[in-house]
Amino acid sequence: MSDSLITSLPEVPYATPQLSSSREHLVRAADHLWRVQDTADKVLGHLRIVADPLGLRYRAERLHLATGAFRIIGEFWRVDDAISALRYS
């Protein structure tokens, strides 16, 4: 038997969220991260699933190339609201 203890659970990737609009589609970039692309495959931003005590939140983000960091556009309870924020911002 091993003396080492497991201190955290393994990460389980979430299923790809379903969008109500066909104007955008999601391409998985990581376990909890998707690229949001329009019909011409232009990247509008990123969608990240964030665990919250009240349920899952959908975070709209954009990559800032100069710093290599994500800038948060907003956090939403509905995936379609997060996509709309990326579409219209």
Side-chain angles (χ1 to χ4, degrees), residues 41-69:
D41 287 338
K42 176 185 169 196
V43 176
L44 302 176
H46 290 82
L47 177 74
R48 184 181 308 271
I49 292 182
V50 180
D52 185 89
L54 298 175
L56 294 179
R57 302 272 294 172
Y58 298 96
R59 183 182 293 165
E61 303 176 340
R62 287 230 168 83
L63 180 63
H64 185 250
L65 292 177
T67 61

Side-chain angles (χ1 to χ4, degrees), residues 19 21-27 35-41:
L19 305 179
S21 171
S22 61
R23 296 194 304 186
E24 294 88 14
H25 62 277
L26 302 176
V27 177
R35 278 183 213 91
V36 180
Q37 297 179 329
D38 63 9
T39 54
D41 287 338

Side-chain angles (χ1 to χ4, degrees), residues 19-20 47 58-60 73-88:
L19 305 179
S20 63
L47 177 74
Y58 298 96
R59 183 182 293 165
I73 305 300
E75 270 192 26
F76 306 90
W77 289 112
R78 294 176 0 110
V79 65
D80 292 319
D81 294 339
I83 299 301
S84 293
L86 291 171
R87 182 188 310 134
Y88 295 118

